[in-house]
Amino acid sequence: MGWIILGIIALIIGLFLWFPVRLGVDYGEEGTSCWLKILFWKISIFSSEDLEKEEEQQAFKQKRQKSRKKAKTKKKDSQTGETPKKKQKKSVQEWIELILIIAQSGGKLVKRFWKGFRINDLCLQMAVAGNDAAETAITYGKVNAAVYSMCALVSRIVTLRRTYIQIIPDFLSEESRVEVSGELFFRIGTLLAAAFSGGFFFLKKYLAKMKTKKEKEQDAAGQTVS
């Protein structure tokens, strides 16, 4: 009897880990939508229409909260005599380096787990525009290089299937247009395996990189002082 119960539990856990999960995104001029599908159940995470309604409802609350925060910040600054520090945002280069750390985390086993994630039916259509023909041509070249470099980088981490990319210069318009759609497919077991196996290696490499960066900044500061 005990072995039967253990077998049933193992079967339930195995089925749970096998469950396929799909995370889909659709972005364009008509709006933005994001959905999650587990087996046969499809759940809408958000849509642009829902966001607009929520923004209208929370607009007044946000204004009141901002005004209160500004008043509190001014009081604290007047008391301490310190100027508020601005948070530094990560640059594109820093984000690319972070993605490279993820791609290089761990060994072959960890990379195999990451390859279990698939991006299916990725469709990117972009019309690049500028103020004049010269600016449009320059922007078109930069966008082309950035998009295909990013796709090559993403393909090193996860599996890309049925990818369609179309980037064209639009010399008649002043605003660029973008339409993106696709879905991320993975199984719950793959997600857990990748998280546990890759987490340690990623944290180790990330901390080592931050330590090296801090040492370089300290050396540069010391040379400036001297």
Side-chain angles (χ1 to χ4, degrees):
M1 187 66 179
W3 289 105
I4 296 175
I5 295 173
L6 289 175
I8 293 172
I9 293 173
L11 180 61
I12 293 172
I13 293 174
L15 288 173
F16 174 75
L17 296 177
W18 179 82
F19 279 174
V21 180
R22 290 178 172 86
L23 178 64
V25 177
D26 192 356
Y27 171 81
E29 293 182 354
E30 296 181 356
T32 306
S33 61
C34 182
W35 48 266
L36 180 69
K37 187 175 182 180
I38 303 176
L39 284 180
F40 306 105
W41 294 280
K42 189 175 181 179
I43 305 169
S44 176
I45 298 176
F46 73 89
S47 64
S48 56
E49 295 179 358
D50 296 336
L51 290 175
E52 288 176 1
K53 290 179 181 179
E54 290 180 1
E55 286 176 359
E56 290 177 359
Q57 293 175 356
Q58 295 180 359
F60 181 71
K61 292 181 180 180
Q62 288 178 353
K63 288 181 181 179
R64 290 182 62 184
Q65 288 176 356
K66 286 181 180 180
S67 60
R68 289 176 181 176
K69 286 181 180 179
K70 286 181 180 179
K72 290 180 180 179
T73 305
K74 287 181 180 179
K75 287 182 180 180
K76 289 181 180 179
D77 294 338
S78 61
Q79 291 174 359
T80 58
E82 296 178 355
T83 56
K85 295 181 179 179
K86 294 182 179 180
K87 293 183 178 179
Q88 295 182 351
K89 295 183 179 180
K90 286 184 179 293
S91 63
V92 176
Q93 183 64 29
E94 288 176 339
W95 280 113
I96 292 175
E97 290 178 357
L98 188 61
I99 294 173
L100 281 172
I101 292 174
I102 296 174
Q104 297 169 358
S105 295
K108 293 182 179 179
L109 182 63
V110 178
K111 291 179 181 179
R112 188 176 300 175
F113 286 137
W114 282 112
K115 280 294 183 179
F117 291 85
R118 300 201 309 263
I119 297 179
N120 298 328
D121 301 317
L122 174 62
C123 180
L124 171 62
Q125 293 178 298
M126 183 180 297
V128 181
N131 295 325
D132 51 35
E135 184 180 345
T136 299
I138 293 171
T139 306
Y140 169 73
K142 290 180 179 179
V143 169
N144 244 318
V147 169
Y148 284 102
S149 297
M150 186 59 68
C151 284
L153 181 61
V154 171
S155 65
R156 291 172 55 187
I157 306 173
V158 300
T159 303
L160 292 178
R161 288 189 177 178
R162 298 183 298 275
T163 303
Y164 175 75
I165 298 175
Q166 184 184 38
I167 305 173
I168 59 172
D170 188 356
F171 297 101
L172 302 177
S173 180
E174 294 183 355
E175 293 184 359
S176 299
R177 301 184 304 278
V178 181
E179 291 185 4
V180 183
S181 62
E183 67 171 25
L184 176 64
F185 172 88
F186 59 91
R187 299 188 188 278
I188 295 178
T190 305
L191 176 64
L192 295 175
F196 283 107
S197 59
F200 173 76
F201 295 101
F202 168 72
L203 183 61
K204 184 179 178 181
K205 283 199 172 188
Y206 182 75
L207 292 176
K209 189 174 182 62
M210 291 297 103
K211 184 179 179 181
T212 305
K213 185 178 179 181
K214 188 175 181 180
E215 289 176 353
K216 288 181 179 179
E217 290 177 353
Q218 290 176 352
D219 293 340
Q223 290 177 2
T224 304
V225 172
S226 60

